[in-house]
Amino acid sequence: MKPFPSLIPALLFATSLQANAQSAVPDTPAARQARETAPQLFAYTQDVLFGDVWKRKELAPRDRSLVTLSSLLANGQDAQMTSHINLALDNGVKPSEIIGLITHLAFYTGWPNGMSAVGVARDVFAKRGIDPSQYRSPSAELLPVDDAAEAKRAATVKANVEPVAPVLARYTDDVLFADLWRRPDLTPRDRSLITVAALIARGQLDQVAYHLNRAMDSGLTQTQATEVVTHLAFYAGWPRAMSALPILQSVFAERK
């Protein structure tokens, strides 16, 4: 395994301030209040967060929006979701994918967070004149599964969950993985990406390795994974980002 400090430069590089950065801060009440009341916070928002981090090529704007929405939803930060749902739509995230994200993360961050986010998304869609047919997708054929990987996952649940909580094991197998994870409103990569982002944002690191491996199996690169954590430092806080780095280090080493 490479030494842990090998991941630190990628995290620190994203905080480099570009003197000539152009402001792309969404014009929201919170941004205006920060500009008037906390000018240094606004300066970091303008020059570092939107002037640098959001412009980094290592992670596409669409992915950054998915990661940001996952973090906000995971921590029940509804006040910032309106502007970021709008930004996500501008960055190419489909309305159906936003609803798919909310539905998926209700399972991973709690029903109240999901239900609260639905109202925010509905208001944004209405103001933008988005037809409900764009996000109320009819029932569709479920995606296929990797039989070998699914058998291994089910065996783990049977051995570790079923003896203690058999009903939880049943919901895990029959609802979470047999239905939710197979729904076509999100690609497998995106579903794994938002799960990893939400788990890190909440500081629930025990399952990050499993879901990061799933994400990388579905196409997420090592560079993109590191950039996800860098991005989350700003939206979930430095301690949670730094705490996730040893897990990334371990997963990267094991996959070589």
Side-chain angles (χ1 to χ4, degrees):
M1 179 183 299
K2 290 184 179 180
F4 168 69
S6 67
L7 284 177
I8 299 298
L11 183 62
L12 295 180
F13 179 74
T15 68
S16 61
L17 188 150
Q18 297 178 347
N20 62 348
Q22 297 296 313
S23 175
V25 181
D27 184 21
T28 64
R32 292 193 292 272
Q33 290 169 6
R35 184 172 55 241
E36 296 168 0
T37 309
Q40 189 58 54
L41 175 59
F42 183 79
Y44 287 139
T45 304
Q46 173 179 270
D47 298 330
V48 181
L49 184 56
F50 284 96
D52 189 356
V53 175
W54 273 89
K55 293 182 178 181
R56 284 175 56 78
K57 304 300 184 183
E58 287 78 2
L59 197 65
R62 178 184 178 278
D63 286 343
R64 291 191 186 276
S65 282
L66 290 174
V67 170
T68 304
L69 287 177
S70 298
S71 179
L72 296 176
L73 191 150
N75 290 313
Q77 296 167 325
D78 296 348
Q80 295 289 312
M81 286 198 71
T82 295
S83 62
H84 279 288
I85 289 176
N86 273 300
L87 182 57
L89 292 166
D90 293 341
N91 284 336
V93 182
K94 299 175 183 177
S96 60
E97 292 172 329
I98 292 173
I99 296 303
L101 179 149
I102 292 170
T103 302
H104 183 90
L105 292 183
F107 284 83
Y108 282 90
T109 73
W111 235 249
N113 286 341
M115 297 298 280
S116 296
V118 167
V120 181
R122 178 199 60 195
D123 291 345
V124 171
F125 295 163
K127 289 179 180 177
R128 290 177 71 116
I130 294 174
D131 191 276
S133 64
Q134 295 187 46
Y135 53 87
R136 293 180 189 166
S137 57
S139 298
E141 183 177 353
L142 297 177
L143 299 176
V145 298
D146 181 324
D147 291 335
E150 178 60 15
K152 183 177 179 180
R153 182 208 61 76
T156 299
V157 171
K158 185 174 181 63
N160 297 290
V161 181
E162 186 174 312
V164 180
V167 176
L168 176 60
R170 175 166 60 84
Y171 287 140
T172 301
D173 287 337
D174 297 347
V175 180
L176 192 62
F177 285 97
D179 189 86
L180 178 71
W181 272 88
R182 297 179 59 194
R183 299 193 66 79
D185 48 357
L186 291 169
T187 66
R189 175 193 178 275
D190 288 351
R191 208 171 278 282
S192 289
L193 172 64
I194 66 174
T195 304
V196 169
L199 291 173
I200 293 174
R202 286 175 67 88
Q204 296 176 326
L205 302 180
D206 289 349
Q207 294 189 34
V208 168
Y210 171 76
H211 287 290
L212 179 57
N213 270 302
R214 284 183 69 118
M216 296 182 76
D217 288 344
S218 296
L220 188 75
T221 68
Q222 179 172 319
T223 297
Q224 290 169 337
T226 303
E227 198 71 17
V228 167
V229 177
T230 303
H231 192 91
L232 285 171
F234 290 85
Y235 284 94
W238 243 254
R240 289 182 177 176
M242 298 296 280
S243 295
L245 288 181
I247 299 174
L248 268 67
Q249 187 79 33
S250 178
V251 169
F252 296 165
E254 290 173 359
R255 293 179 68 91
K256 286 187 176 180

